[in-house]
Amino acid sequence: MKAKSGLTRFHNCHILRDSAIIKEDLWIRDGKIENPEQVFYVEQLEADETVNCEGLLIAPGFIDIQINGGWGIDFSYDCENVEEGVQKVAKKLLTQGVTSFCPTMVTSDKEKYKKILPRIKKTQGGHHGATVLGVHLEGPFISLAKKGAHMDEYIKTLDKGIKTIYEIYGSLDNAVIVTLAPELPGATEAIKELSKLGIKVALGHSTASLAQGEEAINSGANLITHLFNAMLPFHHRDPGLVGLLASSTNKQVYYGIISDGLHTHPAALRIACRTNPKGLVLVSDAVAAQGLADGNYHIGPQKVTVEGGKAYVSRTKTLCGSTAVLDECVRTFKEATGFHTST
Amino acid sequence: MRLIILEDAGVVADWAARFVLQRITEFAPGPGRHFVLGLPTGGTPLGMYRRLIDFYKEGRLSFKYVTTFNMDEYVGLPRDHPESYHYYMWNEFFKHVDIEPGNAHVLDGNAADLVAECRRFEDLIAQAGGVHLFIGGIGPDGHIAFNEPGSSLVSRTRVKTLAYDTLEANKRFFGHDISKVPRQALTVGVGTVMDAKEVMILITGVHKALALSRAVEEGVNHMWTVSAFQQHPQALFICDEDATLELRVKTVKYFKALSDEHQKMIAEVPVAAQRVLH
């Protein structure tokens, strides 16, 4: 009887390596990925157990940088049991393959930020739940014309730049991403200040022209929030924020995109990822209703009705977030773009 | 010496793999009774490895009681460099079959003491009881393993400085930058391979035609080190039609006429009988 090596070999599977999905075995020991070549030549060990994966894909944990809640929890609304709510979602997300996320707060009343934001702390993940990377603050410094499901009365201007930002949010300690509209007066300065603090600035809910978008990118912004949604549609004489995908700024622009089969047409997904494949970031933009049945919910202060899995602002046809889960988004994306796995 | 002329590189790969299958099966390895195989790297044997993997997957062949020794390795190239022979052997062969890690020997080109490493390798071969079948390829200049032209025909495992031709030929694997090609390699000697009970050399392609003619039609010459195997009691040269282009018609006709006999070698004819029937 041979000594146990503690190694498990996943066989007959696809894995992601160097930006390609390849057919390759995966070796792990004590929860860590091992280099099988090193194990073979240096340690001269074999796996205790070989698992036949029958061609499945073993993907790294997903990272969701825009998620408003799920399983009845709304990160922008519930201010009583904030920690429990985040913990519940963190735990449930593991079942969908999400191992890190940015709890996202939509445009809210100043009081909500004061009550909720300090209580969503960055936490290391594990078996207990996905890692909380920090809060994504989506609004309130956005365009009224592209408000989507955000409430008019809480949307703010940025006239005093970073001062206004602190005034509304209070502390920025737990924030990692701020989505704002770059055409707002004071936005450029705010983007510079936020970038200095190490906070990523995303552009969204905006009527910005391409020039305004490029100025924001040159000031430190590097992300577009839910591409195509809540921004000007592509126009060939002024492509707007969508034009950033092919802009000449020489900076890599990333863009969140909701590939739930509803928010973004498959052809639009293909246009985005063929134009700028490196910048693609799939997001769920999931709301509290995710994981639950059709019915009435809310996203921040806004009432939401879910019918047939589609979340609308109640009594309207305005989409407000999704009920999608990220692993489904990955499948939809794969189908839409025809990305195939090599053998 | 036998020269087995086959249609193309694909048939050579298949034939070579079947020969290995026949030899291992005939030997019937088991606990305490390992079949010892010498192995090459490079483009020529790739097809053979793929067929051997097929045989393993079909359950026709196991490497559980097979010990292997690789011919050579670059000096100073990280083991996980895509051009290292460790990398090649792991990805093209070892990881696909049931060979035990402790039985797969590849020279360590990163050893602190390269001389000791070469001695250790020779000792390991001796401890294994010698090599039953050594498989090799050749370079366009007729080198076997890294025994460049001018190498001693009785050489043992050692550090070898590579010839300019070899660096030039290999730079395509190193971003077309000759300065990135390792200058030295560890290699088994001609004598090391000569000690094997049986040797099988694979030669395919027009660019190897001159080397093949020097190997089999001219005298034994250290400038074409593979020619040393003319003096081996059981040496096989397996080539494709393209590689015969520099041979005499007479040579080609003679060996081709023997092809029925050659086919028996991969059938289930006992090895002892094959050694007598030429």
Side-chain angles (χ1 to χ4, degrees):
Chain A
M1 186 78 189
K2 274 189 193 158
K4 290 260 176 195
S5 65
L7 287 155
T8 303
R9 174 185 195 168
F10 293 92
H11 178 62
N12 193 14
C13 52
H14 290 88
I15 63 167
L16 179 68
R17 185 181 291 165
D18 300 331
S19 306
I21 293 174
I22 54 168
K23 183 140 197 213
E24 181 61 277
D25 291 0
L26 185 76
W27 293 64
I28 59 162
R29 178 167 47 198
D30 300 331
K32 290 201 175 122
I33 296 171
E34 294 287 344
N35 175 359
E37 201 184 335
Q38 167 93 5
V39 167
F40 184 86
Y41 286 122
V42 181
E43 299 181 44
Q44 301 192 346
L45 294 174
E46 291 174 283
D48 293 334
E49 194 188 353
T50 298
V51 181
N52 185 347
C53 302
E54 291 169 357
L56 290 175
L57 167 67
I58 302 178
F62 299 133
I63 302 167
D64 196 348
I65 61 166
Q66 190 173 8
I67 170 170
N68 306 290
W71 297 278
I73 308 292
D74 181 350
F75 299 133
S76 314
Y77 188 81
D78 314 293
C79 33
E80 295 309 313
N81 304 308
V82 177
E83 290 85 353
E84 289 82 348
V86 172
Q87 176 52 40
K88 181 178 176 182
V89 173
K91 174 97 186 163
K92 294 274 192 184
L93 280 175
L94 292 181
T95 64
Q96 302 174 350
V98 177
T99 52
S100 303
F101 69 114
C102 296
T104 303
M105 284 185 75
V106 296
T107 295
S108 303
D109 175 16
K110 199 169 146 180
E111 286 309 304
K112 289 281 185 195
Y113 291 116
K114 293 226 164 75
K115 282 187 191 152
I116 299 173
L117 192 48
R119 293 174 65 184
I120 308 182
K121 295 205 158 50
K122 295 173 192 171
T123 48
Q124 180 63 46
H127 290 290
H128 59 275
T131 296
V132 178
L133 294 167
V135 178
H136 179 168
L137 294 165
E138 187 189 5
F141 310 107
I142 57 173
S143 162
L144 263 177
K146 288 290 171 192
K147 62 182 180 177
H150 294 237
M151 297 277 276
D152 293 24
E153 56 189 295
Y154 302 124
I155 291 173
K156 296 278 186 296
T157 53
L158 258 172
D159 36 12
K160 285 186 280 171
I162 193 81
K163 265 193 192 155
T164 315
I165 287 178
Y166 276 114
E167 224 170 81
I168 302 295
Y169 294 143
S171 163
L172 282 170
D173 289 352
N174 294 337
V176 285
I177 303 173
V178 171
T179 290
L180 53 75
E183 69 275 21
L184 296 180
T188 306
E189 288 317 304
I191 291 168
K192 286 181 185 163
E193 293 294 329
L194 287 168
S195 301
K196 262 190 229 164
L197 294 168
I199 291 171
K200 299 293 175 196
V201 178
L203 312 177
H205 287 280
S206 154
T207 58
S209 63
L210 177 59
Q212 287 167 326
E214 286 178 339
E215 192 186 359
I217 296 298
N218 286 325
S219 304
N222 73 342
L223 184 65
I224 307 170
T225 292
H226 46 50
L227 185 74
F228 300 125
N229 289 281
M231 61 187 64
L232 293 176
F234 178 82
H235 188 284
H236 58 287
R237 269 179 246 126
D238 187 345
L241 290 183
V242 176
L244 288 174
L245 264 62
S247 110
S248 51
T249 57
N250 287 333
K251 287 189 178 157
Q252 177 63 55
V253 177
Y254 298 91
Y255 54 96
I257 199 162
I258 314 168
S259 68
D260 61 347
L262 178 66
H263 279 76
T264 321
H265 191 278
L269 285 177
R270 288 192 285 274
I271 287 172
C273 85
R274 285 185 198 166
T275 311
N276 196 329
K278 281 191 180 158
L280 183 113
V281 181
L282 295 185
V283 297
S284 72
D285 201 14
V287 297
Q290 193 279 116
L292 302 175
D294 285 3
N296 292 314
Y297 300 91
H298 44 73
I299 175 168
Q302 188 74 268
K303 286 191 167 56
V304 174
T305 303
V306 177
E307 303 164 22
K310 298 171 185 173
Y312 297 106
V313 173
S314 296
R315 292 186 299 280
T316 73
K317 285 291 165 196
T318 303
L319 285 171
C320 59
S322 78
T323 58
V325 295
L326 207 51
D327 56 350
E328 278 174 19
C329 291
V330 171
R331 283 190 190 96
T332 307
F333 174 78
K334 194 164 169 270
E335 215 168 282
T337 53
F339 266 89
H340 53 272
T341 48
S342 65
T343 50
Chain B
M1 186 201 74
R2 293 175 193 258
L3 177 63
I4 298 173
I5 302 167
L6 302 165
E7 201 178 334
D8 57 29
V11 182
V12 169
D14 188 61
W15 202 98
R18 282 174 195 280
F19 185 73
V20 173
L21 171 68
Q22 195 283 334
R23 285 303 193 251
I24 295 177
T25 308
E26 158 99 11
F27 183 84
R33 182 179 157 80
H34 282 218
F35 187 84
V36 183
L37 199 53
L39 295 174
T41 51
T44 312
L46 207 52
M48 176 191 75
Y49 286 127
R50 294 196 177 144
R51 292 295 292 141
L52 287 173
I53 294 163
D54 290 342
F55 294 157
Y56 164 71
K57 286 185 176 160
E58 290 160 13
R60 297 164 71 184
L61 182 58
S62 166
F63 294 89
K64 190 129 192 90
Y65 301 108
V66 173
T67 296
T68 64
F69 291 93
N70 264 84
M71 293 190 127
D72 42 16
E73 176 61 289
Y74 288 111
V75 167
L77 199 62
R79 198 181 46 231
D80 55 2
H81 188 288
E83 291 308 322
S84 91
Y85 294 163
H86 279 82
Y87 183 96
Y88 175 105
M89 288 309 297
W90 169 250
N91 286 293
E92 301 298 349
F93 189 54
F94 294 150
K95 78 175 179 190
H96 303 286
V97 299
D98 62 344
I99 191 161
E100 288 191 10
N103 295 333
H105 305 288
V106 185
L107 282 155
D108 180 3
N110 292 297
D113 184 342
L114 294 174
V115 176
E117 170 63 8
C118 293
R119 203 179 309 123
R120 185 186 72 89
F121 204 69
E122 287 279 346
D123 290 346
L124 278 171
I125 294 175
Q127 280 163 29
V131 175
H132 292 106
L133 172 62
F134 224 124
I135 304 165
I138 61 167
D141 61 1
H143 69 242
I144 177 140
F146 272 125
N147 292 289
E148 303 283 29
S151 291
S152 159
L153 299 184
V154 293
S155 53
R156 310 303 305 183
T157 304
R158 67 212 186 288
V159 186
K160 191 79 190 161
T161 299
L162 303 183
Y164 178 75
D165 298 31
T166 307
L167 300 181
E168 188 63 29
N170 287 357
K171 75 177 183 188
R172 65 198 155 106
F173 303 122
F174 293 88
H176 294 277
D177 182 353
I178 201 164
S179 71
K180 291 205 176 107
V181 186
R183 306 262 141 172
Q184 289 186 316
L186 302 186
T187 178
V188 293
V190 179
T192 317
V193 184
M194 283 292 284
D195 285 351
K197 291 189 181 66
E198 205 158 17
V199 177
M200 174 167 70
I201 316 276
L202 311 179
I203 306 147
T204 58
V206 175
H207 62 303
K208 305 279 174 80
L210 184 64
L212 179 62
S213 75
R214 298 301 170 120
V216 303
E217 288 184 336
E218 304 289 321
V220 172
N221 186 329
H222 69 170
M223 295 312 288
W224 299 85
T225 51
V226 71
S227 63
F229 295 93
Q230 292 174 20
Q231 295 198 313
H232 192 281
Q234 191 73 10
L236 299 167
F237 287 79
I238 323 290
C239 71
D240 65 355
E241 291 279 359
D242 282 354
T244 66
L245 291 181
E246 297 285 344
L247 290 178
R248 293 186 187 102
V249 174
K250 185 167 82 170
T251 314
V252 173
K253 283 196 167 170
Y254 173 73
F255 285 109
K256 275 194 151 180
L258 284 166
S259 68
D260 286 349
E261 284 303 317
H262 294 153
Q263 285 311 111
K264 288 181 189 166
M265 298 182 75
I266 51 173
E268 287 168 10
V269 173
V271 176
Q274 287 177 15
R275 283 188 178 133
V276 184
L277 293 162
H278 267 246

